[in-house]
Amino acid sequence: MKNTLFLGAAVTGFALGLFLLERFFPLRRPDRPLAGRLFVNLVYAAFAFLTVALTVRPAAEAMLAWTDRNAFGLLNLPVIPVPIRPIAAFLLMDLTFYWWHRANHSIPLLWRFHNVHHIDPDLDVSTAFRFHFGELAFSSAFRVAQIALIGPSLGSFLLYETVFQANTLFHHSNLRLPIGIERLLNRALVTPRMHGIHHSQVMTETNSNYGSVLPWWDRLHRTLGLNVPQAHIVIGVPGYEQYEDNRLQATLLMPFRKQRDYWFGMPAMRSPLEKSGEPMVLAE
Ligand SMILES: [Zn+2]
């Protein structure tokens, strides 16, 4: 409980800091008035905290206690040297999140819920809270499987969780960093320009950059897309661009309604943004 409160306070403080910074140094020009979006995203934030507190966290904690008691999971195998376990835990947690994000885009039932996150017509730190409680509830099943498979220690789990939450806020933010600094950060982190491309209305661009913390999984799975200037990106999902689509009630009901006909369903395999032999450079 103390951990949850501390993490909650840290997340809120970091989010507020990014929220202020992105007002002064915006990366992309907003398309819609902030107040309407902020209202929707803050309601989602409240739902998200509640859903996480009621489902995701208790499920994860119960599984962590169980794997610890029974020495279950890959990292508890005696052949794995103890000193490398924390590093392996961090890498495996992030890799499995990459797969989960891919699943959210390619499995129609999951996409119905994840789409609520993607139809936000602008991308900023408030979008990082905009996850339908249905998606979060599904993710508690994924978290249980993830912990059972990997078997991280409580310390490794909390470390990854903290970095994951912080970087989710950071990579959704609309903060303009000097390109040289962002390119440097992007060697080891998913950054705002990189994740902005994932929120583009262009199908090939959405089907790239699924990473949460480390950008290496996209490189490994050939889904990396960096050569897209931010000024060319239109944020959102085609077919869900009307003001009414982004009203609170419409977004809450959206997963239960007939999905509109647009580019969903196209294979999210190798990103066409990655041309063989060409070096990938994060565009301005
Ligand atoms: Zn996504």
Side-chain angles (χ1 to χ4, degrees):
M1 189 63 192
K2 231 170 76 189
N3 283 335
T4 311
L5 283 178
F6 176 75
L7 195 61
V11 164
T12 313
F14 191 54
L16 279 174
L18 284 170
F19 181 79
L20 285 177
L21 281 172
E22 68 188 4
R23 303 273 90 66
F24 291 108
F25 310 103
L27 174 59
R28 293 163 298 262
R29 205 156 18 139
D31 186 53
R32 304 283 166 95
L34 176 65
R37 289 186 49 248
L38 205 55
F39 166 71
V40 172
N41 293 355
L42 284 176
V43 173
Y44 270 90
F47 275 133
F49 274 113
L50 206 67
T51 316
V52 168
L54 291 176
T55 65
V56 183
R57 198 154 288 272
E61 277 172 1
M63 200 45 167
L64 271 167
W66 188 84
T67 49
D68 187 49
R69 238 187 355 261
N70 297 288
F72 195 86
L74 268 174
L75 296 180
N76 289 312
L77 291 174
V79 291
I80 312 280
V82 174
I84 73 153
R85 286 181 190 184
I87 300 162
F90 195 95
L91 293 172
L92 288 172
M93 294 286 288
D94 202 51
L95 173 62
T96 43
F97 261 117
Y98 169 91
W99 290 336
W100 175 242
H101 191 184
R102 288 276 297 262
N104 271 280
H105 277 259
S106 53
I107 298 173
L109 175 68
L110 298 182
W111 170 251
R112 280 171 175 263
F113 292 89
H114 187 57
N115 199 5
V116 176
H117 173 69
H118 272 271
I119 66 166
D120 196 345
D122 284 309
L123 186 65
D124 62 18
V125 71
S126 75
T127 315
F129 295 100
R130 183 191 165 114
F131 288 100
H132 196 283
F133 50 81
E135 175 173 350
L136 294 172
F138 282 129
S139 85
S140 57
F142 159 73
R143 304 303 299 267
V144 166
Q146 181 189 41
I147 295 166
L149 176 78
I150 300 169
S153 68
L154 180 65
S156 303
F157 177 83
L158 287 177
L159 174 71
Y160 179 77
E161 194 70 8
T162 309
V163 176
F164 172 83
Q165 298 293 352
N167 209 57
T168 299
L169 294 171
F170 173 60
H171 71 223
H172 282 102
S173 77
N174 193 33
L175 175 60
R176 177 177 290 279
L177 291 170
I179 185 71
I181 292 180
E182 185 161 339
R183 281 187 185 138
L184 207 64
L185 282 175
N186 189 228
R187 288 173 188 223
L189 281 180
V190 175
T191 58
R193 282 180 175 90
M194 179 179 169
H195 196 71
I197 296 168
H198 177 67
H199 277 260
S200 158
Q201 288 203 6
V202 177
M203 187 196 74
T204 49
E205 294 169 9
T206 306
N207 288 340
S208 68
N209 304 352
Y210 297 93
S212 296
V213 175
L214 303 166
W216 310 328
W217 314 122
D218 279 295
R219 204 173 274 279
L220 199 71
H221 292 79
R222 306 186 76 105
T223 55
L224 187 68
L226 300 178
N227 298 329
V228 183
Q230 297 294 307
H232 294 180
I233 296 176
V234 180
I235 299 289
V237 173
Y240 288 93
E241 296 159 283
Q242 303 304 315
Y243 271 82
E244 305 81 73
D245 297 330
N246 270 288
R247 296 236 162 85
L248 180 64
Q249 195 183 351
T251 62
L252 288 169
L253 294 175
M254 181 192 174
F256 309 103
R257 289 183 165 151
K258 186 178 178 323
Q259 299 292 288
R260 293 189 191 144
D261 194 19
Y262 53 101
W263 43 249
F264 175 69
M266 300 299 282
M269 298 309 289
R270 183 180 168 195
S271 170
L273 299 173
E274 192 178 11
K275 303 208 175 63
S276 47
E278 256 180 51
M280 264 287 193
V281 182
L282 188 63
E284 178 92 50

PDB file of all heavy atoms in Angstrom, residues 152-177:
ATOM      1  N   PRO A 152      10.074 -12.344 -11.810  1.00  0.00           N
ATOM      2  CA  PRO A 152      10.991 -11.324 -11.286  1.00  0.00           C
ATOM      3  C   PRO A 152      10.882 -11.212  -9.773  1.00  0.00           C
ATOM      4  O   PRO A 152       9.834 -11.547  -9.203  1.00  0.00           O
ATOM      5  CB  PRO A 152      10.481 -10.037 -11.943  1.00  0.00           C
ATOM      6  CG  PRO A 152       9.012 -10.271 -12.134  1.00  0.00           C
ATOM      7  CD  PRO A 152       8.843 -11.750 -12.370  1.00  0.00           C
ATOM      8  N   SER A 153      11.952 -10.739  -9.123  1.00  0.00           N
ATOM      9  CA  SER A 153      11.848 -10.475  -7.679  1.00  0.00           C
ATOM     10  C   SER A 153      10.998  -9.218  -7.488  1.00  0.00           C
ATOM     11  O   SER A 153      10.803  -8.449  -8.436  1.00  0.00           O
ATOM     12  CB  SER A 153      13.244 -10.247  -7.092  1.00  0.00           C
ATOM     13  OG  SER A 153      13.760  -9.030  -7.603  1.00  0.00           O
ATOM     14  N   LEU A 154      10.543  -8.999  -6.262  1.00  0.00           N
ATOM     15  CA  LEU A 154       9.712  -7.814  -5.992  1.00  0.00           C
ATOM     16  C   LEU A 154      10.480  -6.537  -6.334  1.00  0.00           C
ATOM     17  O   LEU A 154       9.942  -5.605  -6.933  1.00  0.00           O
ATOM     18  CB  LEU A 154       9.279  -7.805  -4.519  1.00  0.00           C
ATOM     19  CG  LEU A 154       8.405  -6.610  -4.108  1.00  0.00           C
ATOM     20  CD1 LEU A 154       7.067  -6.629  -4.838  1.00  0.00           C
ATOM     21  CD2 LEU A 154       8.178  -6.577  -2.602  1.00  0.00           C
ATOM     22  N   GLY A 155      11.776  -6.508  -5.960  1.00  0.00           N
ATOM     23  CA  GLY A 155      12.608  -5.325  -6.227  1.00  0.00           C
ATOM     24  C   GLY A 155      12.732  -5.064  -7.717  1.00  0.00           C
ATOM     25  O   GLY A 155      12.564  -3.929  -8.178  1.00  0.00           O
ATOM     26  N   SER A 156      13.012  -6.128  -8.503  1.00  0.00           N
ATOM     27  CA  SER A 156      13.145  -5.965  -9.968  1.00  0.00           C
ATOM     28  C   SER A 156      11.837  -5.489 -10.559  1.00  0.00           C
ATOM     29  O   SER A 156      11.809  -4.653 -11.458  1.00  0.00           O
ATOM     30  CB  SER A 156      13.501  -7.290 -10.643  1.00  0.00           C
ATOM     31  OG  SER A 156      14.655  -7.824 -10.117  1.00  0.00           O
ATOM     32  N   PHE A 157      10.737  -6.058 -10.055  1.00  0.00           N
ATOM     33  CA  PHE A 157       9.418  -5.699 -10.568  1.00  0.00           C
ATOM     34  C   PHE A 157       9.135  -4.215 -10.318  1.00  0.00           C
ATOM     35  O   PHE A 157       8.718  -3.485 -11.211  1.00  0.00           O
ATOM     36  CB  PHE A 157       8.340  -6.567  -9.912  1.00  0.00           C
ATOM     37  CG  PHE A 157       6.942  -6.213 -10.337  1.00  0.00           C
ATOM     38  CD1 PHE A 157       6.415  -6.719 -11.518  1.00  0.00           C
ATOM     39  CD2 PHE A 157       6.160  -5.357  -9.569  1.00  0.00           C
ATOM     40  CE1 PHE A 157       5.137  -6.377 -11.930  1.00  0.00           C
ATOM     41  CE2 PHE A 157       4.883  -5.015  -9.971  1.00  0.00           C
ATOM     42  CZ  PHE A 157       4.364  -5.529 -11.151  1.00  0.00           C
ATOM     43  N   LEU A 158       9.401  -3.768  -9.081  1.00  0.00           N
ATOM     44  CA  LEU A 158       9.102  -2.370  -8.740  1.00  0.00           C
ATOM     45  C   LEU A 158       9.988  -1.403  -9.512  1.00  0.00           C
ATOM     46  O   LEU A 158       9.542  -0.334  -9.926  1.00  0.00           O
ATOM     47  CB  LEU A 158       9.249  -2.133  -7.232  1.00  0.00           C
ATOM     48  CG  LEU A 158       8.133  -2.747  -6.384  1.00  0.00           C
ATOM     49  CD1 LEU A 158       8.417  -2.526  -4.896  1.00  0.00           C
ATOM     50  CD2 LEU A 158       6.761  -2.156  -6.749  1.00  0.00           C
ATOM     51  N   LEU A 159      11.249  -1.798  -9.715  1.00  0.00           N
ATOM     52  CA  LEU A 159      12.157  -0.938 -10.490  1.00  0.00           C
ATOM     53  C   LEU A 159      11.626  -0.787 -11.916  1.00  0.00           C
ATOM     54  O   LEU A 159      11.509   0.327 -12.431  1.00  0.00           O
ATOM     55  CB  LEU A 159      13.576  -1.528 -10.520  1.00  0.00           C
ATOM     56  CG  LEU A 159      14.537  -0.758 -11.426  1.00  0.00           C
ATOM     57  CD1 LEU A 159      14.877   0.599 -10.812  1.00  0.00           C
ATOM     58  CD2 LEU A 159      15.818  -1.544 -11.695  1.00  0.00           C
ATOM     59  N   TYR A 160      11.282  -1.927 -12.549  1.00  0.00           N
ATOM     60  CA  TYR A 160      10.792  -1.853 -13.922  1.00  0.00           C
ATOM     61  C   TYR A 160       9.506  -1.026 -13.981  1.00  0.00           C
ATOM     62  O   TYR A 160       9.342  -0.172 -14.843  1.00  0.00           O
ATOM     63  CB  TYR A 160      10.534  -3.243 -14.541  1.00  0.00           C
ATOM     64  CG  TYR A 160       9.999  -3.073 -15.943  1.00  0.00           C
ATOM     65  CD1 TYR A 160      10.869  -2.742 -16.974  1.00  0.00           C
ATOM     66  CD2 TYR A 160       8.634  -3.119 -16.202  1.00  0.00           C
ATOM     67  CE1 TYR A 160      10.390  -2.479 -18.253  1.00  0.00           C
ATOM     68  CE2 TYR A 160       8.148  -2.853 -17.476  1.00  0.00           C
ATOM     69  CZ  TYR A 160       9.025  -2.543 -18.492  1.00  0.00           C
ATOM     70  OH  TYR A 160       8.544  -2.264 -19.744  1.00  0.00           O
ATOM     71  N   GLU A 161       8.602  -1.284 -13.040  1.00  0.00           N
ATOM     72  CA  GLU A 161       7.306  -0.603 -12.998  1.00  0.00           C
ATOM     73  C   GLU A 161       7.486   0.922 -12.935  1.00  0.00           C
ATOM     74  O   GLU A 161       6.795   1.661 -13.626  1.00  0.00           O
ATOM     75  CB  GLU A 161       6.561  -1.109 -11.750  1.00  0.00           C
ATOM     76  CG  GLU A 161       5.112  -0.787 -11.684  1.00  0.00           C
ATOM     77  CD  GLU A 161       4.260  -1.553 -12.691  1.00  0.00           C
ATOM     78  OE1 GLU A 161       4.779  -2.470 -13.360  1.00  0.00           O
ATOM     79  OE2 GLU A 161       3.090  -1.195 -12.820  1.00  0.00           O
ATOM     80  N   THR A 162       8.431   1.368 -12.096  1.00  0.00           N
ATOM     81  CA  THR A 162       8.675   2.804 -11.946  1.00  0.00           C
ATOM     82  C   THR A 162       9.207   3.401 -13.253  1.00  0.00           C
ATOM     83  O   THR A 162       8.727   4.444 -13.718  1.00  0.00           O
ATOM     84  CB  THR A 162       9.680   3.046 -10.800  1.00  0.00           C
ATOM     85  OG1 THR A 162       9.206   2.337  -9.657  1.00  0.00           O
ATOM     86  CG2 THR A 162       9.812   4.512 -10.462  1.00  0.00           C
ATOM     87  N   VAL A 163      10.199   2.718 -13.858  1.00  0.00           N
ATOM     88  CA  VAL A 163      10.771   3.228 -15.112  1.00  0.00           C
ATOM     89  C   VAL A 163       9.707   3.194 -16.216  1.00  0.00           C
ATOM     90  O   VAL A 163       9.570   4.133 -17.002  1.00  0.00           O
ATOM     91  CB  VAL A 163      12.018   2.400 -15.515  1.00  0.00           C
ATOM     92  CG1 VAL A 163      12.561   2.859 -16.854  1.00  0.00           C
ATOM     93  CG2 VAL A 163      13.087   2.497 -14.445  1.00  0.00           C
ATOM     94  N   PHE A 164       8.906   2.118 -16.246  1.00  0.00           N
ATOM     95  CA  PHE A 164       7.850   1.963 -17.253  1.00  0.00           C
ATOM     96  C   PHE A 164       6.840   3.113 -17.156  1.00  0.00           C
ATOM     97  O   PHE A 164       6.502   3.743 -18.152  1.00  0.00           O
ATOM     98  CB  PHE A 164       7.164   0.609 -17.042  1.00  0.00           C
ATOM     99  CG  PHE A 164       5.932   0.393 -17.878  1.00  0.00           C
ATOM    100  CD1 PHE A 164       6.045  -0.041 -19.193  1.00  0.00           C
ATOM    101  CD2 PHE A 164       4.662   0.615 -17.358  1.00  0.00           C
ATOM    102  CE1 PHE A 164       4.906  -0.242 -19.975  1.00  0.00           C
ATOM    103  CE2 PHE A 164       3.526   0.414 -18.122  1.00  0.00           C
ATOM    104  CZ  PHE A 164       3.643  -0.010 -19.435  1.00  0.00           C
ATOM    105  N   GLN A 165       6.377   3.399 -15.921  1.00  0.00           N
ATOM    106  CA  GLN A 165       5.389   4.474 -15.737  1.00  0.00           C
ATOM    107  C   GLN A 165       5.976   5.818 -16.150  1.00  0.00           C
ATOM    108  O   GLN A 165       5.339   6.608 -16.839  1.00  0.00           O
ATOM    109  CB  GLN A 165       4.924   4.560 -14.270  1.00  0.00           C
ATOM    110  CG  GLN A 165       4.219   3.328 -13.734  1.00  0.00           C
ATOM    111  CD  GLN A 165       2.872   3.074 -14.394  1.00  0.00           C
ATOM    112  OE1 GLN A 165       2.387   3.885 -15.161  1.00  0.00           O
ATOM    113  NE2 GLN A 165       2.275   1.927 -14.113  1.00  0.00           N
ATOM    114  N   ALA A 166       7.214   6.079 -15.695  1.00  0.00           N
ATOM    115  CA  ALA A 166       7.851   7.367 -16.000  1.00  0.00           C
ATOM    116  C   ALA A 166       8.045   7.518 -17.506  1.00  0.00           C
ATOM    117  O   ALA A 166       7.757   8.565 -18.084  1.00  0.00           O
ATOM    118  CB  ALA A 166       9.186   7.478 -15.276  1.00  0.00           C
ATOM    119  N   ASN A 167       8.498   6.451 -18.173  1.00  0.00           N
ATOM    120  CA  ASN A 167       8.764   6.600 -19.603  1.00  0.00           C
ATOM    121  C   ASN A 167       7.485   6.635 -20.431  1.00  0.00           C
ATOM    122  O   ASN A 167       7.457   7.227 -21.504  1.00  0.00           O
ATOM    123  CB  ASN A 167       9.709   5.511 -20.122  1.00  0.00           C
ATOM    124  CG  ASN A 167      10.509   6.019 -21.300  1.00  0.00           C
ATOM    125  OD1 ASN A 167      11.209   7.022 -21.172  1.00  0.00           O
ATOM    126  ND2 ASN A 167      10.366   5.397 -22.460  1.00  0.00           N
ATOM    127  N   THR A 168       6.415   6.013 -19.916  1.00  0.00           N
ATOM    128  CA  THR A 168       5.123   6.108 -20.610  1.00  0.00           C
ATOM    129  C   THR A 168       4.655   7.566 -20.613  1.00  0.00           C
ATOM    130  O   THR A 168       4.168   8.082 -21.622  1.00  0.00           O
ATOM    131  CB  THR A 168       4.085   5.186 -19.946  1.00  0.00           C
ATOM    132  OG1 THR A 168       4.576   3.841 -20.040  1.00  0.00           O
ATOM    133  CG2 THR A 168       2.727   5.256 -20.611  1.00  0.00           C
ATOM    134  N   LEU A 169       4.835   8.251 -19.475  1.00  0.00           N
ATOM    135  CA  LEU A 169       4.484   9.678 -19.420  1.00  0.00           C
ATOM    136  C   LEU A 169       5.374  10.464 -20.379  1.00  0.00           C
ATOM    137  O   LEU A 169       4.904  11.295 -21.152  1.00  0.00           O
ATOM    138  CB  LEU A 169       4.668  10.210 -17.989  1.00  0.00           C
ATOM    139  CG  LEU A 169       3.720   9.622 -16.942  1.00  0.00           C
ATOM    140  CD1 LEU A 169       4.151  10.051 -15.550  1.00  0.00           C
ATOM    141  CD2 LEU A 169       2.291  10.078 -17.204  1.00  0.00           C
ATOM    142  N   PHE A 170       6.679  10.175 -20.338  1.00  0.00           N
ATOM    143  CA  PHE A 170       7.646  10.917 -21.151  1.00  0.00           C
ATOM    144  C   PHE A 170       7.390  10.717 -22.644  1.00  0.00           C
ATOM    145  O   PHE A 170       7.315  11.680 -23.412  1.00  0.00           O
ATOM    146  CB  PHE A 170       9.059  10.471 -20.762  1.00  0.00           C
ATOM    147  CG  PHE A 170      10.143  11.038 -21.635  1.00  0.00           C
ATOM    148  CD1 PHE A 170      10.327  12.415 -21.726  1.00  0.00           C
ATOM    149  CD2 PHE A 170      10.990  10.200 -22.354  1.00  0.00           C
ATOM    150  CE1 PHE A 170      11.335  12.941 -22.539  1.00  0.00           C
ATOM    151  CE2 PHE A 170      11.987  10.721 -23.163  1.00  0.00           C
ATOM    152  CZ  PHE A 170      12.159  12.094 -23.261  1.00  0.00           C
ATOM    153  N   HIS A 171       7.201   9.450 -23.092  1.00  0.00           N
ATOM    154  CA  HIS A 171       7.121   9.254 -24.543  1.00  0.00           C
ATOM    155  C   HIS A 171       5.773   9.703 -25.130  1.00  0.00           C
ATOM    156  O   HIS A 171       5.669   9.919 -26.325  1.00  0.00           O
ATOM    157  CB  HIS A 171       7.511   7.824 -24.967  1.00  0.00           C
ATOM    158  CG  HIS A 171       6.567   6.715 -24.642  1.00  0.00           C
ATOM    159  ND1 HIS A 171       6.990   5.508 -24.144  1.00  0.00           N
ATOM    160  CD2 HIS A 171       5.227   6.603 -24.748  1.00  0.00           C
ATOM    161  CE1 HIS A 171       5.950   4.722 -23.976  1.00  0.00           C
ATOM    162  NE2 HIS A 171       4.872   5.360 -24.329  1.00  0.00           N
ATOM    163  N   HIS A 172       4.752   9.877 -24.266  1.00  0.00           N
ATOM    164  CA  HIS A 172       3.498  10.445 -24.770  1.00  0.00           C
ATOM    165  C   HIS A 172       3.528  11.974 -24.770  1.00  0.00           C
ATOM    166  O   HIS A 172       2.653  12.605 -25.372  1.00  0.00           O
ATOM    167  CB  HIS A 172       2.307   9.978 -23.926  1.00  0.00           C
ATOM    168  CG  HIS A 172       1.865   8.580 -24.255  1.00  0.00           C
ATOM    169  ND1 HIS A 172       2.193   7.507 -23.476  1.00  0.00           N
ATOM    170  CD2 HIS A 172       1.133   8.085 -25.298  1.00  0.00           C
ATOM    171  CE1 HIS A 172       1.680   6.405 -24.019  1.00  0.00           C
ATOM    172  NE2 HIS A 172       1.051   6.726 -25.121  1.00  0.00           N
ATOM    173  N   SER A 173       4.476  12.573 -24.072  1.00  0.00           N
ATOM    174  CA  SER A 173       4.443  14.025 -23.902  1.00  0.00           C
ATOM    175  C   SER A 173       4.711  14.741 -25.222  1.00  0.00           C
ATOM    176  O   SER A 173       5.293  14.180 -26.152  1.00  0.00           O
ATOM    177  CB  SER A 173       5.464  14.466 -22.854  1.00  0.00           C
ATOM    178  OG  SER A 173       6.763  14.453 -23.402  1.00  0.00           O
ATOM    179  N   ASN A 174       4.259  15.991 -25.269  1.00  0.00           N
ATOM    180  CA  ASN A 174       4.454  16.817 -26.465  1.00  0.00           C
ATOM    181  C   ASN A 174       5.621  17.774 -26.226  1.00  0.00           C
ATOM    182  O   ASN A 174       5.578  18.931 -26.601  1.00  0.00           O
ATOM    183  CB  ASN A 174       3.158  17.586 -26.755  1.00  0.00           C
ATOM    184  CG  ASN A 174       3.170  18.217 -28.141  1.00  0.00           C
ATOM    185  OD1 ASN A 174       3.756  17.673 -29.073  1.00  0.00           O
ATOM    186  ND2 ASN A 174       2.545  19.382 -28.277  1.00  0.00           N
ATOM    187  N   LEU A 175       6.649  17.253 -25.592  1.00  0.00           N
ATOM    188  CA  LEU A 175       7.793  18.079 -25.202  1.00  0.00           C
ATOM    189  C   LEU A 175       8.841  18.090 -26.312  1.00  0.00           C
ATOM    190  O   LEU A 175       9.313  17.037 -26.737  1.00  0.00           O
ATOM    191  CB  LEU A 175       8.401  17.515 -23.909  1.00  0.00           C
ATOM    192  CG  LEU A 175       9.674  18.173 -23.409  1.00  0.00           C
ATOM    193  CD1 LEU A 175       9.460  19.654 -23.111  1.00  0.00           C
ATOM    194  CD2 LEU A 175      10.172  17.453 -22.153  1.00  0.00           C
ATOM    195  N   ARG A 176       9.163  19.297 -26.771  1.00  0.00           N
ATOM    196  CA  ARG A 176      10.193  19.422 -27.815  1.00  0.00           C
ATOM    197  C   ARG A 176      11.566  19.460 -27.179  1.00  0.00           C
ATOM    198  O   ARG A 176      11.929  20.428 -26.529  1.00  0.00           O
ATOM    199  CB  ARG A 176       9.967  20.691 -28.638  1.00  0.00           C
ATOM    200  CG  ARG A 176      11.050  20.916 -29.701  1.00  0.00           C
ATOM    201  CD  ARG A 176      10.753  22.136 -30.546  1.00  0.00           C
ATOM    202  NE  ARG A 176       9.613  21.928 -31.413  1.00  0.00           N
ATOM    203  CZ  ARG A 176       9.660  21.281 -32.574  1.00  0.00           C
ATOM    204  NH1 ARG A 176      10.803  20.790 -33.017  1.00  0.00           N
ATOM    205  NH2 ARG A 176       8.580  21.128 -33.294  1.00  0.00           N
ATOM    206  N   LEU A 177      12.309  18.392 -27.363  1.00  0.00           N
ATOM    207  CA  LEU A 177      13.699  18.365 -26.908  1.00  0.00           C
ATOM    208  C   LEU A 177      14.577  18.723 -28.101  1.00  0.00           C
ATOM    209  O   LEU A 177      14.204  18.446 -29.241  1.00  0.00           O
ATOM    210  CB  LEU A 177      14.065  16.948 -26.443  1.00  0.00           C
ATOM    211  CG  LEU A 177      13.405  16.438 -25.170  1.00  0.00           C
ATOM    212  CD1 LEU A 177      13.702  14.955 -25.008  1.00  0.00           C
ATOM    213  CD2 LEU A 177      13.901  17.200 -23.954  1.00  0.00           C
TER     214      LEU A 177
END
